[in-house]
Amino acid sequence: MKIAIAGAGAMGSRIGLMLHAAGNQVILIDTWPAHIAAIREKGLLANLNGQEVVAHLPIYSPTELPADLQVDLIVALTKSMQLDQMFQMIQSLIHPTTYVLSLLNGLGHEDTLEKYVPKENIIFGTTTWTAGLKGPGYAELTGTGAIEMENIEPSGKEFTLKVVEVFKKAKLNPMYSDNVRYSIWKKACINGTLNGLCTILDCNVGELGNLTVTKDLITAIVSEFAAVSQQEGIHLDQASVITAIEATYDPETQGRHYPSMYQDLIKSQRKTEIDYINGAVWRKGQRLEIPTPYCAFLTELIHGKEQLLNAK
């Protein structure tokens, strides 16, 4: 399959590397000049569970895409706030037979993608894979994960099942879902605890799990997500979500991992996705007249930390 990774950061590097290793024609698209230059010079380097690997993949900035380039699938892995701009710039890639698989964190991305891709060509998914960047062109890839996906419209199921098979050969542990919206809300809820709290408390996932205050904090945040999602027809099982969050504390799985929001803000001083996670729940809660004080406070704290770090 011909596949473009739109947003070849940490997770895009992982997905692109594994799809390439399985024999697919993969191109990377990114906007970070140093990352593009490093991959062009040395290939995409990765520490994959302790093994150093390299993949020589073509990489472009969105403005460099050849006019005649066509792909079967675009995997959207930008940051949430970059999705609209990315798809504005890569419209030449999109043809009537091009599908888009969105694996972004957060909520509300269908509204953006429907401006550029027919609804029947959109696949939504969520992933438990983790990834980090040690520097331009060098990914740190540890642990294992899975991907869940479902087409928005029934007519897209045939192609989605093909994507599942392609991802299966790449050992990305995919599964076809009959209710991916539940999984997206569940993943957003997990991120709504781990991302913001680890960033504010300056710790990794395992360190967060060892704090005596953590249980009360995650219980409160999860209850707010559940109250808002209920109004959108998604009944979040709060106990199972909390169990899933607590499972990440194990240092043998994800406990040593610093969430993407931490990597963005603490390591790179970049804007975070908080407005598409806790901020989205806060905004929805305001419209629905559902109190979400923890999500509101965490959103404001992250924005405050963004301002402080960017001012230095």
Side-chain angles (χ1 to χ4, degrees):
M1 187 173 284
K2 294 181 179 179
I3 303 170
I5 307 295
M11 188 62 69
S13 293
R14 176 186 276 282
I15 302 292
L17 182 69
M18 295 176 75
L19 288 169
H20 167 76
N24 296 286
Q25 298 179 47
V26 177
I27 69 163
L28 306 178
I29 306 170
D30 205 73
T31 57
W32 185 15
H35 192 52
I36 294 170
I39 292 173
R40 285 177 176 170
E41 180 182 353
K42 298 179 180 179
L44 173 59
L45 307 177
N47 184 309
L48 182 60
N49 293 321
Q51 180 184 1
E52 295 292 324
V53 299
V54 59
H56 294 281
L57 295 169
I59 183 167
Y60 302 93
S61 75
T63 58
E64 297 175 326
L65 290 171
D68 59 347
L69 184 61
Q70 295 189 26
V71 296
D72 304 307
L73 177 70
I74 301 171
V75 183
L77 281 162
T78 65
K79 294 298 181 182
S80 295
M81 54 282 191
Q82 299 167 346
L83 181 64
D84 197 3
Q85 184 180 20
M86 173 64 79
F87 272 76
Q88 283 181 26
M89 293 190 291
I90 66 169
Q91 290 184 65
S92 64
L93 275 183
I94 301 170
H95 298 270
T97 57
T98 304
Y99 279 72
V100 173
L101 168 60
S102 172
L103 292 176
L104 276 67
N105 289 330
L107 304 166
H109 303 307
E110 61 271 23
D111 296 335
T112 298
L113 289 176
E114 285 177 25
K115 296 192 296 184
Y116 303 103
V117 188
K119 199 170 183 179
E120 57 269 25
N121 288 23
I122 299 175
I123 306 167
F124 263 77
T126 183
T127 179
T128 57
W129 288 98
T130 61
L133 283 180
K134 295 184 74 172
Y138 187 17
E140 182 77 28
L141 310 175
T142 59
T144 188
I147 293 175
E148 186 176 340
M149 65 181 80
E150 181 185 16
N151 38 284
I152 288 184
E153 291 290 316
S155 58
K157 184 172 183 177
E158 182 180 354
F159 187 83
T160 304
L161 292 175
K162 291 179 182 178
V163 175
V164 169
E165 289 305 309
V166 168
F167 277 50
K168 191 177 295 183
K169 291 177 182 177
K171 300 180 181 179
L172 284 162
N173 301 331
M175 64 168 285
Y176 184 81
S177 172
D178 290 317
N179 190 10
V180 79
R181 289 182 68 239
Y182 178 91
S183 298
I184 288 170
W185 266 94
K186 181 179 178 180
K187 175 71 179 297
C189 188
I190 293 172
N191 284 331
T193 58
L194 299 180
N195 274 267
L197 292 176
C198 284
T199 302
I200 291 298
L201 294 169
D202 197 6
C203 65
N204 63 29
V205 172
E207 290 167 337
L208 176 68
N210 288 331
L211 300 177
T212 57
V213 298
T214 298
K215 180 74 172 183
D216 288 342
L217 287 172
I218 66 169
T219 299
I221 294 169
V222 168
S223 70
E224 292 181 6
F225 271 78
V228 173
S229 68
Q230 184 72 37
Q231 297 304 308
E232 296 204 354
I234 305 295
H235 175 66
L236 278 180
D237 183 336
Q238 296 182 56
S240 71
V241 173
I242 291 171
T243 298
I245 292 167
E246 292 176 339
T248 67
Y249 303 157
D250 185 347
E252 298 303 315
T253 55
Q254 298 181 46
R256 295 189 179 92
H257 178 66
Y258 288 86
S260 58
M261 189 174 293
Y262 179 100
Q263 296 179 45
D264 286 339
L265 187 54
I266 305 302
K267 290 189 175 182
S268 304
Q269 286 77 57
R270 291 197 299 259
K271 283 193 67 176
T272 72
E273 296 179 299
I274 193 69
D275 285 329
Y276 296 86
I277 307 174
N278 302 82
V281 172
W282 177 21
R283 292 192 304 275
K284 289 174 183 289
Q286 287 178 311
R287 290 197 297 270
L288 296 166
E289 298 184 346
I290 297 172
T292 58
Y294 280 81
C295 283
F297 189 47
L298 195 52
T299 301
E300 297 283 48
L301 283 176
I302 292 293
H303 283 317
K305 194 150 189 168
E306 287 173 344
Q307 291 176 29
L308 284 171
L309 291 177
N310 288 330
K312 291 181 178 180

